[in-house]
Amino acid sequence: MEQREEKGQEDKTEEATEEKRNQFREEGNIANPREIVACVTLILFTSYFYFSSQNLILAFQECFRRAWFGFPGYYVDYSSLLKVIFYAISPILPHFIFIVLACSVFPTFIGLAVTRFNWSWKKLNFNIGKLDPISGFARMFSVNSFVEMIKVVTKCLIFSILIFIVLKSEIFSASENYFYNNLDYMKNIGNSISKLMLVMCAAGVVIGGGDFSYNFWKINRDMKMTKQELKEEVKKHEGDPLLKSQRKRMARDFVMRKSLREVPKASFVVTNPEHFSVAIRYKKGMTAPVIIAKGQDLIAFKIREIAKQHDIMIVENKPLARTLYKTVKVGQEIPPVLYQSVIEVIKYIHKIRGRKYFERFEA
């Protein structure tokens, strides 16, 4: 089964489309920022511990003082127990509340921001298939499980080595703490803890960034599509290429048939006798001749037929007819580059039919 998965992954050579990316996000398959969240939590806790250590020590001292020297006029029984407890811990309570909020709420928002506030309930849906012991056993020994185990072991090993290095440097000075008073002893312990936590924060940044980068790469790899999947998605959105070309041709023919009604207004028709016909309108005062109808094959024949019925001059000019058909749309003026060719056609009509031919179009 693993070989088939690897073979299928090798076939995925195309970048994921926007629809495939949205599908992954809706299913909750995104780069998990859990290590980044854990790192931010550790940094916040360490920062608060480092900058508020003096206030924390004073708060603990007050808690101990209240515990040892009694309470202000409380008779301790079941009814006053909560008041007694609150009185004892109230000095440290603001610090505790701030740490809980800062180390839970803020990192959560950081994680949501990294994932662009993606939230999917599909991951929480009950799936009875997950209770299948055979599939569960297969997942346990899959490549993904093995990679996750390697990641956990590597992180534990890195942190263990760092803790050993820091504590090894601190343990030689630990015996001197015996000669310090309680306050200085606590300060030395606090400095050692701060040093250890700062080192762990630095390691957390590296591990968090590396883990998120790996997850991001893995999600992008899993999102890749095979050539067949890409073709099917394009076909789904744009339709079968053959049907699409047929629809375009039908739409083009519809426009051209609609333009046949404008042929009687044409001043002359330029043709490539067997394939193309272009009906052109021109009268005195116009800035340039305008194409009012054009067609190919059957439509070209219909244009010529209508032109004959309305005594409209038909001029054979193969290069001009082909160029006008392919480069100028119906309703557009003839471009300046073709003025000379069209003027030659108009001169020819003047020579054959005279000035009166064009006078009837000026009415």
Side-chain angles (χ1 to χ4, degrees):
M1 186 176 67
E2 292 296 334
Q3 290 180 349
R4 287 199 301 270
E5 289 181 359
E6 291 177 3
K7 182 66 169 61
Q9 193 63 50
E10 290 175 0
D11 294 337
K12 294 183 176 182
T13 57
E14 306 301 315
E15 291 297 326
T17 60
E18 190 62 30
E19 181 180 357
K20 187 69 175 287
R21 294 179 183 276
N22 291 335
Q23 179 185 348
F24 263 62
R25 288 181 59 81
E26 288 174 2
E27 294 175 353
N29 295 323
I30 56 175
N32 197 325
R34 58 179 178 270
E35 297 298 336
I36 292 180
V37 173
C39 178
V40 171
T41 303
L42 181 61
I43 291 174
L44 286 173
F45 181 78
T46 302
S47 300
Y48 189 79
F49 181 81
Y50 183 81
F51 292 105
S52 302
S53 57
Q54 187 65 36
N55 293 331
L56 282 170
I57 291 174
L58 294 176
F60 274 112
Q61 283 181 332
E62 181 61 18
C63 287
F64 291 140
R65 189 190 66 77
R66 291 185 181 187
W68 284 105
F69 293 102
F71 305 99
Y74 287 125
Y75 174 73
V76 180
D77 57 10
Y78 288 110
S79 61
S80 62
L81 183 60
L82 291 178
K83 293 181 180 180
V84 170
I85 293 175
F86 179 78
Y87 175 75
I89 67 174
S90 57
I92 201 66
L93 197 59
H95 298 279
F96 177 76
I97 293 174
F98 180 83
I99 290 173
V100 170
L101 291 176
C103 294
S104 59
V105 177
F106 187 71
T108 301
F109 278 105
I110 291 292
L112 289 173
V114 170
T115 60
R116 292 186 293 175
F117 291 87
N118 182 77
W119 182 265
S120 175
W121 292 100
K122 292 185 178 181
K123 286 285 187 180
L124 303 178
N125 289 344
F126 176 73
N127 185 0
I128 195 170
K130 293 182 179 180
L131 300 179
D132 184 4
I134 297 177
S135 61
F137 187 80
R139 287 195 302 270
M140 187 182 302
F141 292 95
S142 65
V143 175
N144 289 336
S145 298
F146 180 74
V147 171
E148 290 300 320
M149 183 185 71
I150 294 297
K151 286 164 61 177
V152 171
V153 171
T154 302
K155 285 184 281 189
C156 291
L157 186 62
I158 291 173
F159 280 119
S160 299
I161 292 174
L162 291 175
I163 291 172
F164 173 77
I165 292 173
V166 173
L167 293 184
K168 183 180 179 181
S169 63
E170 295 292 320
I171 198 169
F172 292 107
S173 60
S175 59
E176 299 176 2
N177 293 335
Y178 178 80
F179 301 100
Y180 294 150
N181 56 43
N182 291 339
L183 186 59
D184 291 335
Y185 176 75
M186 290 182 65
K187 287 181 178 180
N188 287 337
I189 293 295
N191 290 333
S192 298
I193 294 174
S194 296
K195 185 185 297 184
L196 176 62
M197 294 179 70
L198 287 173
V199 171
M200 293 181 70
C201 284
V205 171
V206 176
I207 292 174
D211 183 77
F212 182 76
S213 299
Y214 170 78
N215 291 334
F216 189 78
W217 169 82
K218 184 177 179 297
I219 287 293
N220 283 330
R221 185 199 63 176
D222 293 342
M223 280 193 298
K224 284 189 173 182
M225 307 169 69
T226 63
K227 294 183 182 297
Q228 183 62 32
E229 288 175 338
L230 187 61
K231 288 179 181 178
E232 290 177 356
E233 185 165 316
V234 172
K235 186 182 294 185
K236 181 177 69 175
H237 288 284
E238 298 184 1
D240 189 287
L242 181 60
L243 294 175
K244 186 179 178 182
S245 63
Q246 289 177 348
R247 287 196 298 267
K248 282 185 175 180
R249 187 172 63 253
M250 291 172 63
R252 185 170 61 250
D253 291 345
F254 173 77
V255 172
M256 290 182 178
R257 286 191 178 93
K258 186 179 178 181
S259 68
L260 289 177
R261 289 178 290 184
E262 300 295 319
V263 174
K265 300 177 184 179
S267 303
F268 55 92
V269 174
V270 180
T271 69
N272 173 354
E274 297 178 357
H275 299 292
F276 303 108
S277 292
V278 181
I280 301 173
R281 179 171 175 79
Y282 178 74
K283 66 177 181 178
K284 189 176 181 180
M286 292 178 65
T287 56
V290 176
I291 292 180
I292 60 174
K294 66 178 182 177
Q296 184 177 7
D297 298 330
L298 180 60
I299 303 297
F301 175 78
K302 293 293 292 182
I303 290 175
R304 292 194 297 271
E305 190 177 66
I306 296 172
K308 290 176 182 178
Q309 292 173 1
H310 292 80
D311 191 27
I312 297 172
M313 190 72 178
I314 299 175
V315 180
E316 180 181 334
N317 189 322
K318 294 181 181 180
L320 180 59
R322 188 182 299 111
T323 304
L324 289 173
Y325 179 85
K326 293 183 177 180
T327 61
V328 185
K329 295 181 180 179
V330 174
Q332 288 184 340
E333 293 182 347
I334 291 174
V337 69
L338 297 176
Y339 281 175
Q340 187 59 42
S341 299
V342 175
I343 289 173
E344 293 296 330
V345 173
I346 294 174
K347 287 181 178 180
Y348 174 76
I349 296 173
H350 266 285
K351 183 179 179 180
I352 300 297
R353 302 290 294 268
R355 183 183 298 273
K356 291 182 179 180
Y357 175 80
F358 284 96
E359 289 178 353
R360 65 174 179 163
F361 301 110
E362 297 176 4

